[in-house]
Amino acid sequence: MIVSDCRTQAKETLAEKGAYWSDAEILRAMNRANRDVWRLIQGVDPTQLAGAPTHFTYPAATASIDITGASYLNAAFRTILAISKLDATGAFSETNRPIPLELGTYADLLERYRGSRQRSGQLTESQYFAAIHGNLLYLAPVPQAAVILEVDWVGFPAELTADAHNLLQATTAGAPLGTAYHDYIMLRTAWYMSAKEKRGGLAPEVTQCMENLRVELADNEQNRTHLPRIVYASPY
């Protein structure tokens, strides 16, 4: 669903007479609704908001990198879903498949180092451990040679500014994500718009439609394959 369709359907839902809501008011409400539903999906199945994985090279002899930097994700992230190691750049093949790395927190990383010292051993490069701390990505042990990584991640929703923009996009030029939730965004937009009318209960008929759709979506998600625990999600 694009912005213009969402606006039209929200106005029809509230049976607008005349031009009661300005386009600017509706767009502000729509962006709030878009962010709300993005967060909702994050809590249900964030893989629905993930685009293509990003590939980059983690430099040698480097304890940590700012993963949001231009040479890496080149964007702020909401959730890191998985980090894998590749043997070489280029297309996947029988000899160049992503090898998932164990992903944890910085506290997990410190515990690994402590355990290694207590056993008088060393962490080996045969299987790196990846940790996220703020925007920093750590690999343990510190790689002696550059490592090619593949990162599956979720960013933030793009701001809706034009009629042709799709709802739930990571970038305004990207494909729409989470399309099953677009009707929910429209109803959430109408719910915010109804505040202008100062109705008791904020448009109860819209609230009921939202609740019915929420239950339907929740039922559908219960039938999906359960995901492994998401290890790291940004608090921002």
Side-chain angles (χ1 to χ4, degrees):
M1 185 183 296
I2 62 175
V3 166
S4 59
D5 292 338
C6 184
R7 180 174 60 239
T8 298
Q9 291 183 37
K11 292 168 74 171
E12 289 175 347
T13 299
L14 294 175
E16 180 189 34
K17 296 178 175 62
Y20 187 69
W21 293 279
S22 70
D23 286 354
E25 287 176 318
I26 297 173
L27 191 60
R28 286 194 294 271
M30 199 181 304
N31 271 299
R32 290 179 66 186
N34 200 52
R35 293 190 295 268
D36 288 349
V37 174
W38 187 278
R39 289 191 295 270
L40 171 68
I41 301 174
Q42 279 280 139
V44 175
D45 180 6
T47 61
Q48 295 187 58
L49 301 175
T54 298
H55 298 86
F56 59 80
T57 299
Y58 189 105
T62 302
S64 66
I65 60 171
D66 183 344
I67 198 173
T68 64
S71 299
Y72 309 116
L73 297 184
N74 194 31
F77 67 91
R78 177 83 180 182
T79 302
I80 299 296
L81 300 173
I83 298 178
S84 302
K85 174 182 176 292
L86 292 168
D87 288 331
T89 57
F92 296 153
S93 67
E94 288 296 322
T95 58
N96 189 35
R97 293 182 175 181
I99 302 171
L101 303 185
E102 187 176 354
L103 176 62
T105 64
Y106 187 67
D108 295 330
L109 178 71
L110 295 178
E111 186 62 32
R112 289 298 181 93
Y113 275 119
R114 278 195 291 268
S116 176
R117 287 197 298 269
Q118 289 170 0
R119 293 189 299 270
S120 299
Q122 293 183 340
L123 297 171
T124 66
E125 294 187 11
S126 61
Q127 184 64 44
Y128 289 103
F129 179 81
I132 296 288
H133 185 57
N135 288 338
L136 298 180
L137 168 64
Y138 293 81
L139 286 187
V142 175
Q144 299 305 301
V147 180
I148 302 168
L149 297 180
E150 175 185 273
V151 179
D152 292 282
W153 60 290
V154 175
F156 292 86
E159 188 78 5
L160 304 171
T161 58
D163 283 358
H165 285 170
N166 281 294
L167 307 180
L168 292 180
Q169 287 179 300
T171 66
T172 54
L177 302 168
T179 52
Y181 293 82
H182 286 194
D183 284 340
Y184 196 83
I185 294 174
M186 183 277 293
L187 290 170
R188 187 78 172 174
T189 300
W191 188 78
Y192 279 128
M193 290 165 60
S194 70
K196 181 177 178 180
E197 300 184 48
K198 296 182 172 56
R199 300 191 196 184
L202 288 175
E205 69 278 15
V206 178
T207 301
Q208 185 59 53
C209 287
M210 288 172 55
E211 177 60 19
N212 292 344
L213 186 57
R214 186 195 66 79
V215 171
E216 178 184 340
L217 292 171
D219 289 342
N220 289 339
E221 291 304 332
Q222 287 179 358
N223 295 326
R224 294 170 63 93
T225 301
H226 289 293
L227 294 166
R229 181 172 63 93
I230 301 301
V231 174
Y232 183 81
S234 169
Y236 303 108

